[in-house]
Protein backbone atom coordinates (compact mmCIF):
# COMPACT_ATOMS: atom_id res chain seq x y z
CA UNK A 1 0.00 0.00 0.00
CA UNK A 2 1.50 3.30 -1.05
CA UNK A 3 2.08 5.91 1.58
CA UNK A 4 0.01 9.07 1.25
CA UNK A 5 1.07 12.14 3.16
CA UNK A 6 -1.20 13.73 5.68
CA UNK A 7 -3.84 16.31 4.95
CA UNK A 8 -3.21 19.20 7.29
CA UNK A 9 -0.49 19.66 9.86
CA UNK A 10 -0.43 17.82 13.16
CA UNK A 11 1.52 19.45 15.95
CA UNK A 12 3.23 16.42 17.46
CA UNK A 13 4.63 18.53 20.26
CA UNK A 14 1.12 19.46 21.36
CA UNK A 15 -0.22 15.92 20.98
CA UNK A 16 2.61 13.45 20.31
CA UNK A 17 0.44 10.36 20.72
CA UNK A 18 -2.05 11.53 18.11
CA UNK A 19 0.84 12.42 15.82
CA UNK A 20 2.31 8.94 16.13
CA UNK A 21 -1.03 7.31 15.42
CA UNK A 22 -1.67 9.46 12.38
CA UNK A 23 1.76 8.74 10.98
CA UNK A 24 1.64 5.04 11.74
CA UNK A 25 -1.73 4.36 10.15
CA UNK A 26 -1.27 6.54 7.05
CA UNK A 27 -4.74 7.92 7.46
CA UNK A 28 -4.81 11.24 5.85
CA UNK A 29 -5.61 12.29 2.38
CA UNK A 30 -3.30 14.42 0.27
CA UNK A 31 -0.17 16.52 0.26
CA UNK A 32 -0.38 20.28 0.44
CA UNK A 33 1.85 22.80 -1.31
CA UNK A 34 2.98 22.22 -4.88
CA UNK A 35 0.80 19.13 -5.41
CA UNK A 36 -2.44 20.74 -4.25
CA UNK A 37 -3.46 22.15 -7.63
CA UNK A 38 -2.84 18.86 -9.40
CA UNK A 39 -4.85 16.94 -6.82
CA UNK A 40 -7.75 19.34 -7.01
CA UNK A 41 -7.66 19.03 -10.77
CA UNK A 42 -7.80 15.24 -10.49
CA UNK A 43 -10.91 15.57 -8.35
CA UNK A 44 -12.69 17.89 -10.79
CA UNK A 45 -16.20 16.79 -11.69
CA UNK A 46 -16.78 14.73 -14.79
CA UNK A 47 -19.39 15.63 -17.37
CA UNK A 48 -22.90 14.82 -16.19
CA UNK A 49 -24.88 12.02 -17.80
CA UNK A 50 -27.86 12.82 -19.98
CA UNK A 51 -30.84 12.87 -17.64
CA UNK A 52 -33.09 10.84 -19.94
CA UNK A 53 -30.56 8.11 -20.59
CA UNK A 54 -28.07 7.23 -17.85
CA UNK A 55 -26.41 4.69 -20.14
CA UNK A 56 -24.80 7.53 -22.10
CA UNK A 57 -21.85 7.41 -19.71
CA UNK A 58 -21.24 3.80 -20.60
CA UNK A 59 -18.62 4.44 -23.24
CA UNK A 60 -15.46 2.39 -23.12
CA UNK A 61 -14.31 -0.99 -24.26
CA UNK A 62 -13.12 -2.45 -20.96
CA UNK A 63 -14.83 -4.66 -18.43
CA UNK A 64 -17.78 -3.35 -16.41
CA UNK A 65 -16.67 -0.97 -13.67
CA UNK A 66 -19.25 -2.35 -11.24
CA UNK A 67 -18.09 -5.68 -9.80
CA UNK A 68 -20.59 -8.49 -10.36
CA UNK A 69 -22.94 -9.20 -7.47
CA UNK A 70 -21.98 -6.05 -5.55
CA UNK A 71 -24.74 -3.55 -6.28
CA UNK A 72 -26.99 -2.68 -3.38
CA UNK A 73 -29.32 0.07 -2.26
CA UNK A 74 -29.83 1.85 1.03
CA UNK A 75 -33.52 1.28 1.73
CA UNK A 76 -33.88 4.74 3.26
CA UNK A 77 -34.18 5.91 -0.35
CA UNK A 78 -37.28 3.72 -0.74
CA UNK A 79 -38.85 4.34 2.66
CA UNK A 80 -42.05 5.72 1.12
CA UNK A 81 -42.59 2.60 -0.97
CA UNK A 82 -41.66 0.25 1.89
CA UNK A 83 -44.23 1.99 4.11
CA UNK A 84 -47.05 1.83 1.55
CA UNK A 85 -46.31 -1.30 -0.48
CA UNK A 86 -44.23 -3.40 1.92
CA UNK A 87 -40.83 -5.00 1.62
CA UNK A 88 -41.96 -7.81 -0.69
CA UNK A 89 -43.20 -5.48 -3.42
CA UNK A 90 -40.13 -3.27 -3.16
CA UNK A 91 -37.75 -6.24 -3.22
CA UNK A 92 -39.50 -7.59 -6.33
CA UNK A 93 -38.79 -4.32 -8.11
CA UNK A 94 -35.17 -4.23 -6.97
CA UNK A 95 -34.65 -7.74 -8.26
CA UNK A 96 -35.95 -6.65 -11.68
CA UNK A 97 -33.61 -3.63 -11.68
CA UNK A 98 -30.53 -5.80 -11.20
CA UNK A 99 -29.78 -5.20 -7.52
CA UNK A 100 -27.91 -7.83 -5.53
CA UNK A 101 -27.98 -6.40 -1.99
CA UNK A 102 -29.89 -4.18 0.39
CA UNK A 103 -28.88 -2.14 3.39
CA UNK A 104 -31.68 -1.77 5.92
CA UNK A 105 -32.76 1.55 7.41
CA UNK A 106 -34.99 0.07 10.09
CA UNK A 107 -36.84 -3.22 10.10
CA UNK A 108 -40.47 -2.02 10.04
CA UNK A 109 -42.72 -1.31 7.08
CA UNK A 110 -45.32 1.13 8.39
CA UNK A 111 -48.80 0.82 6.98
CA UNK A 112 -47.83 -2.32 5.10
CA UNK A 113 -47.96 -4.24 8.37
CA UNK A 114 -45.52 -5.77 10.87
CA UNK A 115 -42.92 -8.41 10.10
CA UNK A 116 -40.74 -10.55 12.32
CA UNK A 117 -37.01 -10.47 11.71
CA UNK A 118 -37.19 -14.05 10.45
CA UNK A 119 -39.87 -13.04 7.93
CA UNK A 120 -37.83 -10.05 6.79
CA UNK A 121 -34.75 -12.23 6.35
CA UNK A 122 -36.73 -14.74 4.30
CA UNK A 123 -38.35 -12.05 2.14
CA UNK A 124 -34.96 -10.59 1.35
CA UNK A 125 -33.49 -13.92 0.34
CA UNK A 126 -36.60 -15.05 -1.53
CA UNK A 127 -36.12 -12.11 -3.89
CA UNK A 128 -32.51 -12.97 -4.62
CA UNK A 129 -31.12 -10.21 -2.40
CA UNK A 130 -28.46 -10.25 0.31
CA UNK A 131 -28.84 -8.12 3.42
CA UNK A 132 -25.42 -6.50 3.61
CA UNK A 133 -25.81 -4.07 6.51
CA UNK A 134 -28.04 -1.81 8.57
CA UNK A 135 -27.98 1.64 10.15
CA UNK A 136 -28.68 2.00 13.87
CA UNK A 137 -28.35 5.07 16.09
CA UNK A 138 -25.13 5.66 18.03
CA UNK A 139 -26.53 6.97 21.34
CA UNK A 140 -29.56 8.63 22.94
CA UNK A 141 -30.55 10.06 26.31
CA UNK A 142 -33.23 7.42 26.77
CA UNK A 143 -31.69 4.28 28.35
CA UNK A 144 -34.26 2.16 26.52
CA UNK A 145 -33.36 3.61 23.10
CA UNK A 146 -32.45 1.25 20.27
CA UNK A 147 -28.86 2.43 19.90
CA UNK A 148 -25.38 0.99 20.14
CA UNK A 149 -24.56 2.89 23.31
CA UNK A 150 -27.79 2.09 25.15
CA UNK A 151 -28.65 -1.43 23.93
CA UNK A 152 -25.65 -2.95 22.20
CA UNK A 153 -26.63 -6.58 22.79
CA UNK A 154 -30.12 -6.09 21.40
CA UNK A 155 -28.79 -4.34 18.31
CA UNK A 156 -26.32 -7.14 17.67
CA UNK A 157 -28.90 -9.84 18.42
CA UNK A 158 -31.17 -8.42 15.73
CA UNK A 159 -28.32 -8.07 13.25
CA UNK A 160 -27.37 -11.70 13.84
CA UNK A 161 -30.99 -12.79 13.39
CA UNK A 162 -30.99 -11.06 10.00
CA UNK A 163 -27.70 -12.67 9.01
CA UNK A 164 -25.92 -9.35 8.54
CA UNK A 165 -22.21 -9.23 7.79
CA UNK A 166 -22.05 -5.52 8.74
CA UNK A 167 -23.86 -3.45 11.33
CA UNK A 168 -23.24 0.27 11.63
CA UNK A 169 -24.34 3.78 12.36
CA UNK A 170 -24.89 6.89 10.28
CA UNK A 171 -24.33 9.01 13.39
CA UNK A 172 -21.12 11.00 13.60
CA UNK A 173 -18.80 10.91 16.63
CA UNK A 174 -20.23 14.12 18.10
CA UNK A 175 -21.34 12.74 21.47
CA UNK A 176 -18.65 14.61 23.42
CA UNK A 177 -18.28 17.64 21.18
CA UNK A 178 -15.99 18.64 18.32
CA UNK A 179 -12.65 18.55 20.15
CA UNK A 180 -9.82 16.07 19.64
CA UNK A 181 -10.40 14.56 23.07
CA UNK A 182 -14.15 14.35 22.44
CA UNK A 183 -13.56 12.35 19.29
CA UNK A 184 -11.03 10.15 21.05
CA UNK A 185 -13.73 9.26 23.59
CA UNK A 186 -16.12 8.37 20.79
CA UNK A 187 -13.40 6.30 19.13
CA UNK A 188 -13.04 4.28 22.33
CA UNK A 189 -16.75 3.53 22.25
CA UNK A 190 -16.63 2.62 18.58
CA UNK A 191 -13.79 0.21 19.32
CA UNK A 192 -15.97 -1.41 21.96
CA UNK A 193 -18.90 -1.74 19.55
CA UNK A 194 -16.53 -3.16 16.94
CA UNK A 195 -15.10 -5.74 19.29
CA UNK A 196 -18.57 -6.89 20.31
CA UNK A 197 -19.62 -7.11 16.65
CA UNK A 198 -16.51 -9.07 15.71
CA UNK A 199 -17.22 -11.60 18.44
CA UNK A 200 -20.45 -12.35 16.58
CA UNK A 201 -18.80 -12.52 13.17
CA UNK A 202 -19.86 -9.04 12.02
CA UNK A 203 -18.10 -5.78 11.16
CA UNK A 204 -19.08 -2.52 12.84
CA UNK A 205 -18.98 0.54 10.58
CA UNK A 206 -19.55 4.29 10.62
CA UNK A 207 -21.15 6.24 7.76
CA UNK A 208 -19.95 9.79 7.18
CA UNK A 209 -21.65 13.06 6.33
CA UNK A 210 -19.74 16.18 5.32
CA UNK A 211 -19.11 17.53 8.82
CA UNK A 212 -16.73 14.72 9.73
CA UNK A 213 -14.21 16.43 7.46
CA UNK A 214 -14.32 19.66 9.47
CA UNK A 215 -11.64 20.73 11.94
CA UNK A 216 -11.42 20.29 15.70
CA UNK A 217 -12.60 23.33 17.64
CA UNK A 218 -9.59 23.12 19.99
CA UNK A 219 -7.09 22.14 17.26
CA UNK A 220 -8.12 23.89 14.03
CA UNK A 221 -5.13 22.34 12.28
CA UNK A 222 -6.54 18.82 12.82
CA UNK A 223 -9.28 17.32 10.66
CA UNK A 224 -11.76 15.42 12.82
CA UNK A 225 -12.10 12.52 10.37
CA UNK A 226 -8.37 11.93 10.77
CA UNK A 227 -8.79 11.67 14.54
CA UNK A 228 -11.52 9.06 14.10
CA UNK A 229 -9.36 6.98 11.77
CA UNK A 230 -6.25 7.32 13.89
CA UNK A 231 -7.94 6.48 17.18
CA UNK A 232 -10.04 3.51 16.07
CA UNK A 233 -8.64 0.03 15.61
CA UNK A 234 -8.78 -0.82 11.88
CA UNK A 235 -9.56 -4.42 12.78
CA UNK A 236 -12.64 -3.34 14.77
CA UNK A 237 -14.01 -0.15 13.21
CA UNK A 238 -14.76 0.05 9.49
CA UNK A 239 -16.04 2.87 7.34
CA UNK A 240 -18.88 3.26 4.90
CA UNK A 241 -17.91 6.23 2.76
CA UNK A 242 -20.87 8.21 1.53
CA UNK A 243 -19.14 9.49 -1.59
CA UNK A 244 -21.49 12.42 -2.12
CA UNK A 245 -21.06 13.73 1.42
CA UNK A 246 -17.32 13.20 1.22
CA UNK A 247 -17.13 15.45 -1.83
CA UNK A 248 -19.35 17.97 -0.07
CA UNK A 249 -16.78 17.79 2.73
CA UNK A 250 -14.06 18.48 0.18
CA UNK A 251 -15.98 21.54 -1.00
CA UNK A 252 -16.59 22.84 2.52
CA UNK A 253 -13.37 21.97 4.32
CA UNK A 254 -10.44 22.30 1.91
CA UNK A 255 -9.43 25.44 3.77
CA UNK A 256 -8.68 25.59 7.50
CA UNK A 257 -10.42 28.13 9.73
CA UNK A 258 -7.33 30.36 9.55
CA UNK A 259 -7.59 30.45 5.74
CA UNK A 260 -4.67 28.16 4.94
CA UNK A 261 -5.20 25.48 2.27
CA UNK A 262 -6.03 21.93 3.38
CA UNK A 263 -6.98 20.16 0.14
CA UNK A 264 -7.92 16.49 0.05
CA UNK A 265 -9.49 13.99 -2.29
CA UNK A 266 -11.95 11.53 -0.66
CA UNK A 267 -10.67 8.75 -2.91
CA UNK A 268 -7.20 9.02 -1.36
CA UNK A 269 -8.59 8.01 2.02
CA UNK A 270 -9.88 4.79 0.49
CA UNK A 271 -6.73 4.05 -1.49
CA UNK A 272 -4.60 4.51 1.64
CA UNK A 273 -6.52 1.78 3.51
CA UNK A 274 -9.03 0.07 1.21
CA UNK A 275 -9.61 -2.74 3.70
CA UNK A 276 -11.26 -0.25 6.07
CA UNK A 277 -13.99 0.63 3.55
CA UNK A 278 -16.12 -2.45 2.86
CA UNK A 279 -19.20 -0.35 2.06
CA UNK A 280 -19.93 2.76 -0.01
CA UNK A 281 -22.95 4.93 -0.59
CA UNK A 282 -23.17 5.80 -4.27
CA UNK A 283 -24.95 9.13 -4.22
CA UNK A 284 -24.64 11.78 -6.92
CA UNK A 285 -24.94 15.55 -7.13
CA UNK A 286 -24.56 18.59 -9.36
CA UNK A 287 -21.90 21.09 -8.33
CA UNK A 288 -23.76 24.30 -7.53
CA UNK A 289 -22.32 27.15 -5.48
CA UNK A 290 -25.82 28.46 -4.83
CA UNK A 291 -26.54 25.44 -2.62
CA UNK A 292 -25.25 26.84 0.66
CA UNK A 293 -23.25 25.53 2.45
CA UNK A 294 -22.92 22.21 0.63
CA UNK A 295 -21.98 23.21 -2.92
CA UNK A 296 -23.84 20.23 -4.45
CA UNK A 297 -27.44 19.53 -5.35
CA UNK A 298 -28.40 15.85 -4.92
CA UNK A 299 -29.47 13.94 -8.05
CA UNK A 300 -30.13 10.41 -9.25
CA UNK A 301 -26.91 8.48 -9.79
CA UNK A 302 -25.60 9.30 -13.25
CA UNK A 303 -27.22 12.72 -13.49
CA UNK A 304 -24.60 14.50 -11.40
CA UNK A 305 -20.96 15.51 -11.54
CA UNK A 306 -19.31 12.86 -9.38
CA UNK A 307 -17.11 10.66 -11.56
CA UNK A 308 -18.06 7.17 -10.45
CA UNK A 309 -16.18 5.54 -13.30
CA UNK A 310 -12.99 7.03 -11.88
CA UNK A 311 -13.89 6.33 -8.27
CA UNK A 312 -15.06 2.73 -8.55
CA UNK A 313 -12.34 1.82 -11.06
CA UNK A 314 -9.65 3.06 -8.66
CA UNK A 315 -11.10 1.03 -5.79
CA UNK A 316 -11.37 -2.00 -8.09
CA UNK A 317 -7.61 -1.85 -8.64
CA UNK A 318 -6.77 -2.18 -4.94
CA UNK A 319 -6.02 -5.55 -3.30
CA UNK A 320 -9.24 -7.60 -3.37
CA UNK A 321 -10.87 -4.47 -4.79
CA UNK A 322 -13.58 -6.17 -6.84
CA UNK A 323 -14.47 -8.66 -4.12
CA UNK A 324 -13.94 -6.63 -0.96
CA UNK A 325 -16.35 -3.73 -1.46
CA UNK A 326 -20.11 -3.18 -1.72
CA UNK A 327 -21.77 -0.28 -3.55
CA UNK A 328 -25.11 0.97 -2.24
CA UNK A 329 -27.06 3.54 -4.25
CA UNK A 330 -28.83 6.23 -2.26
CA UNK A 331 -30.71 9.49 -2.66
CA UNK A 332 -32.16 11.11 0.43
CA UNK A 333 -35.36 12.48 -1.11
CA UNK A 334 -35.82 11.20 -4.67
CA UNK A 335 -38.60 12.62 -6.83
CA UNK A 336 -39.81 9.06 -7.42
CA UNK A 337 -37.94 6.48 -5.40
CA UNK A 338 -38.43 3.46 -7.67
CA UNK A 339 -37.46 5.51 -10.73
CA UNK A 340 -34.34 6.58 -8.85
CA UNK A 341 -33.51 2.95 -8.06
CA UNK A 342 -34.01 1.82 -11.66
CA UNK A 343 -32.07 4.64 -13.31
CA UNK A 344 -29.19 4.49 -10.85
CA UNK A 345 -28.76 0.76 -11.40
CA UNK A 346 -28.88 1.21 -15.18
CA UNK A 347 -26.21 3.89 -15.05
CA UNK A 348 -23.81 1.94 -12.84
CA UNK A 349 -24.21 -1.23 -14.88
CA UNK A 350 -23.46 0.76 -18.04
CA UNK A 351 -20.07 2.04 -16.87
CA UNK A 352 -17.05 0.44 -18.56
CA UNK A 353 -13.39 0.83 -17.88
CA UNK A 354 -11.54 2.83 -20.47
CA UNK A 355 -9.95 0.53 -23.02
Amino acid sequence: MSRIRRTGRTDSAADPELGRRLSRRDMLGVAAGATAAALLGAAAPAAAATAADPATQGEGSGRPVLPPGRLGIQLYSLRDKVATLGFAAVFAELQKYGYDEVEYAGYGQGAAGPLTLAELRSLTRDHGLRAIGSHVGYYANDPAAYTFAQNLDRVLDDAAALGLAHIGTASGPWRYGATVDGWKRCAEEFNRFGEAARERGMKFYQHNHSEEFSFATDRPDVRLYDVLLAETDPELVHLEMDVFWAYVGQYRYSVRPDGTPAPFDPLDYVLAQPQRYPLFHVKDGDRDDSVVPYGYRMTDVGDGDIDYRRFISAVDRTHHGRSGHHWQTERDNPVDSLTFARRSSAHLHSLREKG
Side-chain angles (χ1 to χ4, degrees):
M1 178 174 63
S2 61
R3 180 175 295 271
I4 296 177
R5 287 179 285 172
R6 297 200 296 271
T7 302
R9 178 182 60 84
T10 298
D11 187 347
S12 58
D15 194 342
E17 178 58 23
L18 177 60
R20 284 194 295 272
R21 288 173 186 254
L22 293 175
S23 176
R24 181 172 66 251
R25 295 183 184 174
D26 298 319
M27 294 290 115
L28 310 185
V30 299
T35 61
L39 287 164
L40 289 174
T50 301
D53 182 11
T56 56
Q57 279 197 8
E59 305 92 347
S61 58
R63 66 181 176 177
V65 167
L66 187 70
R70 293 289 165 151
L71 179 63
I73 190 167
Q74 165 50 251
L75 290 172
Y76 181 77
S77 303
L78 296 163
R79 61 195 181 279
D80 61 327
K81 295 298 192 292
V82 171
T84 56
L85 303 176
F87 280 113
V90 169
F91 290 164
E93 291 301 303
L94 294 178
Q95 187 177 32
K96 288 194 297 185
Y97 302 160
Y99 283 92
D100 310 294
E101 301 174 335
V102 294
E103 182 182 34
Y104 298 122
Y107 310 135
Q109 54 178 4
L115 283 176
T116 66
L117 294 180
E119 289 170 334
L120 178 55
R121 181 174 182 170
S122 294
L123 271 181
T124 307
R125 291 183 172 181
D126 288 349
H127 289 89
L129 299 168
R130 292 185 298 276
I132 194 63
S134 180
H135 284 181
V136 177
Y138 167 19
Y139 70 94
N141 293 326
D142 180 2
Y146 189 78
T147 65
F148 282 95
Q150 275 64 48
N151 282 287
L152 178 60
D153 286 340
R154 182 182 168 198
V155 167
L156 296 180
D157 285 346
D158 289 352
L162 288 163
L164 300 182
H166 308 85
I167 180 70
T169 184
S171 302
W174 305 102
R175 185 177 190 181
Y176 306 110
T179 65
V180 170
D181 283 343
W183 276 52
K184 285 183 177 182
R185 290 179 65 186
C186 291
E188 290 177 3
E189 294 184 343
F190 282 13
N191 283 332
R192 179 168 61 85
F193 304 156
E195 185 170 13
R198 185 172 68 172
E199 289 174 356
R200 296 172 180 245
M202 292 177 279
K203 292 180 179 179
F204 169 80
Y205 64 95
Q206 192 267 344
H207 164 284
N208 66 275
H209 293 87
S210 65
E211 291 78 9
E212 281 89 336
F213 297 94
S214 65
F215 299 93
T217 53
D218 60 331
R219 292 287 309 283
D221 60 324
V222 174
R223 197 180 300 280
L224 286 169
Y225 194 66
D226 301 332
V227 178
L228 173 66
L229 292 175
E231 294 293 328
T232 51
D233 186 334
E235 298 297 320
L236 300 178
V237 178
H238 299 83
L239 291 308
E240 176 179 64
M241 179 173 280
D242 186 304
V243 180
F244 170 86
W245 286 121
Y247 279 102
V248 171
Q250 181 194 57
Y251 174 82
R252 297 180 69 187
Y253 303 114
S254 284
V255 177
R256 299 186 188 90
D258 66 0
T260 58
F264 72 96
D265 184 339
L267 179 58
D268 284 332
Y269 277 101
V270 182
L271 299 184
Q273 287 196 97
Q275 73 281 2
R276 292 204 76 176
Y277 291 87
L279 306 173
F280 294 89
H281 274 189
V282 180
K283 185 185 296 181
D284 211 345
D286 286 324
R287 271 285 292 111
D288 185 345
D289 289 335
S290 72
V291 182
V292 179
Y294 301 118
Y296 281 85
R297 188 181 308 279
M298 210 173 289
T299 68
D300 288 355
V301 179
D303 290 348
D305 294 323
I306 296 177
D307 189 347
Y308 276 107
R309 177 189 292 169
R310 167 185 175 259
F311 196 100
I312 300 175
S313 292
V315 177
D316 283 351
R317 290 191 293 270
T318 63
H319 186 55
H320 297 310
R322 290 181 68 83
S323 62
H325 304 280
H326 305 262
W327 304 91
Q328 321 292 311
T329 66
E330 186 185 34
R331 183 174 178 181
D332 291 0
N333 295 293
V335 175
D336 181 272
S337 57
L338 286 175
T339 298
F340 153 77
R342 176 181 55 78
R343 296 183 75 249
S344 298
S345 173
H347 171 71
L348 291 170
H349 279 107
S350 78
L351 295 179
R352 296 292 185 274
E353 293 179 348
K354 294 181 179 179

